[in-house]
Amino acid sequence: MINKNTIKNLGFSAFAIAMLSLSACSTTPKSSLPDGHTAKTSLDYPGVYLGVLPCADCSGIKTRIYLNKDNTYILQQDYLGKNGTNILENGTYSFDESGNVVNLKPKTKNGQSLKLFVGEDSVSMLNQDGTKITSSLKDHYVLTKDYNQLLNKKWYLKEMYGKAFDAQKTSKKEGYLSLDEKTSRFSSNAGCNQMNGAFTVEPGNKINFNQGMATMMSCQDMEAEITFGKVLKETKYFDVQLDKLLLLNSKHETIATFKVPVSKL
């Protein structure tokens, strides 16, 4: 949980910075992709990456990095065992000439400028000179893609096909989407009837909805509900950006936007 009142602009722990500098004999990582292919051109790299970094005076630094499609990022860090010690930063990122390494550029002067080697469903933190970490803790600097960020939350419907959702036009119920990890089933509402069914999540931020049963109430305006049913049928991908969930069609165009209160992340 992020407590906005306790978010502090902290850098890496001294230990983590020391480990990142142990690279006297290290080299720049090489891509395992076929010749001519790069992470930028061949991998579906946008998404959420999660891991626990080493920490000298705590149990570890739980780290989430959100690489968004629009070349912005969010860095969220929780110092385990230190109540109230959290970091929340954001900025932009760009690929280097190799197309396999992204450079994070924070908005604030005191933010962390990081380099990440992008792999298949993972990113590896690099030294500041872009070389790989070769210490005995190198495996702790790998963050894996986290497909669970969208699960077990109540995402509130905000927009469909660029048009704001207005619950006042239906039965005044808030629209939402909730995906249950244990049952692999979703429940939803677009202001009137309850809808549910099965869903599947696959690598590459792919998601499919198989609509099942729905209640049969008659509401004063069914347009939103009809549109929501269309959204579920057309959705092929998702994108989680901290407190925001985007559903995308086969062309990676945003067709619905949901949000969740920050305190429930």
Side-chain angles (χ1 to χ4, degrees):
M1 180 183 297
I2 299 174
N3 186 332
K4 290 186 176 180
N5 294 324
T6 59
I7 291 175
K8 298 179 180 179
N9 187 17
L10 302 174
F12 271 131
S13 66
F15 178 73
I17 293 176
M19 294 310 301
L20 285 170
S21 66
L22 295 177
S23 58
C25 300
S26 62
T27 58
T28 302
K30 294 183 179 180
S31 172
S32 59
L33 295 169
D35 291 343
H37 293 259
T38 67
K40 182 179 180 180
T41 59
S42 302
L43 296 180
D44 197 355
Y45 61 86
V48 185
Y49 296 85
L50 175 66
V52 179
L53 302 177
C55 180
D57 57 354
C58 66
S59 301
I61 308 171
K62 187 175 181 180
T63 301
R64 286 189 181 91
I65 297 178
Y66 300 72
L67 294 180
N68 302 322
K69 292 177 66 64
D70 61 357
N71 289 96
T72 63
Y73 76 89
I74 301 170
L75 171 65
Q76 178 188 350
Q77 291 186 309
D78 302 318
Y79 283 65
L80 304 177
K82 286 189 171 184
N83 293 333
T85 305
N86 305 310
I87 295 174
L88 184 62
E89 297 177 354
N90 62 79
T92 59
Y93 70 86
S94 60
F95 277 89
D96 69 356
E97 292 183 358
S98 74
N100 296 311
V101 175
V102 296
N103 301 299
L104 305 188
K105 183 179 180 181
K107 281 187 175 181
T108 61
K109 289 184 178 180
N110 295 326
Q112 304 174 54
S113 298
L114 304 177
K115 295 180 183 294
L116 307 172
F117 179 80
V118 180
E120 184 74 42
D121 286 342
S122 69
V123 296
S124 301
M125 302 189 73
L126 303 176
N127 296 296
Q128 286 301 304
D129 61 359
T131 56
K132 65 181 180 181
I133 298 169
T134 59
S135 72
S136 59
L137 295 174
K138 61 184 180 182
D139 291 341
H140 293 275
Y141 291 98
V142 178
L143 310 180
T144 56
K145 208 166 191 180
D146 183 10
Y147 290 100
N148 294 322
Q149 283 296 302
L150 79 162
L151 305 177
N152 306 321
K153 296 183 178 74
K154 194 169 186 178
W155 297 98
Y156 291 96
L157 180 61
K158 297 300 180 182
E159 188 176 278
M160 294 185 290
Y161 298 103
K163 184 178 180 180
F165 170 73
D166 185 359
Q168 298 299 318
K169 292 183 178 180
T170 57
S171 60
K172 298 185 180 180
K173 293 181 181 178
E174 285 193 287
Y176 76 90
L177 175 66
S178 180
L179 300 100
D180 188 273
E181 180 180 8
K182 292 182 179 179
T183 63
S184 293
R185 294 187 65 82
F186 72 90
S187 60
S188 61
N189 194 296
C192 184
N193 286 289
Q194 189 80 4
M195 293 176 277
N196 59 69
F199 73 91
T200 57
V201 175
E202 301 174 7
N205 282 35
K206 296 179 181 178
I207 187 169
N208 286 291
F209 295 99
N210 183 11
Q211 190 170 337
M213 298 186 300
T215 55
M216 301 296 290
M217 293 187 297
S218 178
C219 301
Q220 65 185 51
D221 189 341
M222 302 292 288
E223 181 182 354
E225 188 166 298
I226 294 171
T227 302
F228 188 77
K230 182 181 177 183
V231 165
L232 294 180
K233 289 180 181 179
E234 293 186 358
T235 294
K236 298 299 179 185
Y237 301 94
F238 72 90
D239 187 12
V240 176
Q241 301 180 3
L242 192 63
D243 63 340
K244 185 186 296 184
L245 167 64
L246 307 179
L247 296 184
L248 316 172
N249 61 18
S250 59
K251 297 179 180 180
H252 287 84
E253 299 168 333
T254 300
I255 56 177
T257 302
F258 301 79
K259 295 196 75 173
V260 66
V262 174
S263 61
K264 294 184 180 181
L265 287 173

